[in-house]
Amino acid sequence: MNYTAQIKVMPLKDLLDPQGKAVLGGLHNLGMKPIADVRIGKHIDLQINAESKEEALQIATEAATKLLANQVMEIFEVAIL
Amino acid sequence: MNYTAQIKVMPLKDLLDPQGKAVLGGLHNLGMKPIADVRIGKHIDLQINAESKEEALQIATEAATKLLANQVMEIFEVAIL
């Protein structure tokens, strides 16, 4: 069966996010002062052929651990639809 | 009040996603053949000072429209937590 896995990869809370800070500056320049902070990460959709939802989750987690996220600097969350 | 907006920005379905194709090749090289397709977009968290959830949603949608997403090539979804 075909499953869709959604993986969210975000910079760790304690680390500076220069891309987010730059976008925050851009938004303030556009006059959007109510926005207090911006953090930017990746959103990855995987199509996975698996026997069960559990197997799909295991494959997606392996993909995130081995390639998609750098766990020194990033945290990831996996959800199977 | 402080609201967190999550914005997901993904390449349009009909467009090629070269970054996703490259990652798919990398995953196959790692032996993860069950993964059939990869698409990569951005995940953006905003901290917004707003009176109500509706106002926060409106501000986040304006930010996505004006700066965060290029609607010629990308589609976005906004959720307020």
Side-chain angles (χ1 to χ4, degrees):
Chain A
M1 233 185 103
N2 195 43
Y3 293 90
T4 299
Q6 297 200 327
I7 303 176
K8 181 173 104 171
V9 181
M10 296 298 288
L12 287 175
K13 275 214 178 64
D14 298 332
L15 291 182
L16 211 64
D17 174 15
Q19 193 184 5
K21 286 281 169 284
V23 167
L24 181 63
L27 288 168
H28 283 182
N29 285 343
L30 288 172
M32 307 193 66
K33 305 285 184 195
I35 299 177
D37 195 29
V38 181
R39 290 187 80 79
I40 300 185
K42 286 176 286 188
H43 184 98
I44 303 161
D45 282 348
L46 303 179
Q47 301 297 328
I48 303 175
N49 295 313
E51 298 289 315
S52 65
K53 202 169 168 174
E54 287 69 33
E55 195 193 335
L57 180 62
Q58 188 230 311
I59 292 170
T61 306
E62 191 186 342
T65 310
K66 283 194 181 167
L67 188 70
L68 303 173
N70 169 5
Q71 288 185 277
V72 176
M73 296 169 60
E74 294 169 329
I75 190 167
F76 70 85
E77 283 172 25
V78 180
I80 306 289
L81 300 194
Chain B
M1 234 186 102
N2 195 44
Y3 292 89
T4 299
Q6 298 200 327
I7 304 176
K8 180 173 104 173
V9 181
M10 296 297 289
L12 286 176
K13 276 216 177 64
D14 298 333
L15 291 181
L16 212 63
D17 174 16
Q19 194 185 5
K21 287 281 170 283
V23 168
L24 182 63
L27 289 169
H28 283 181
N29 286 342
L30 289 171
M32 306 192 67
K33 305 287 182 193
I35 298 176
D37 195 29
V38 181
R39 289 186 81 78
I40 301 184
K42 285 175 287 187
H43 185 98
I44 303 161
D45 282 347
L46 303 179
Q47 301 297 328
I48 303 175
N49 296 313
E51 299 289 315
S52 65
K53 202 169 166 173
E54 288 67 34
E55 194 193 336
L57 180 63
Q58 186 229 312
I59 291 170
T61 306
E62 190 186 344
T65 309
K66 283 194 180 167
L67 187 72
L68 303 173
N70 169 4
Q71 287 186 280
V72 177
M73 298 168 59
E74 294 169 329
I75 190 167
F76 70 85
E77 283 171 26
V78 180
I80 305 289
L81 299 194

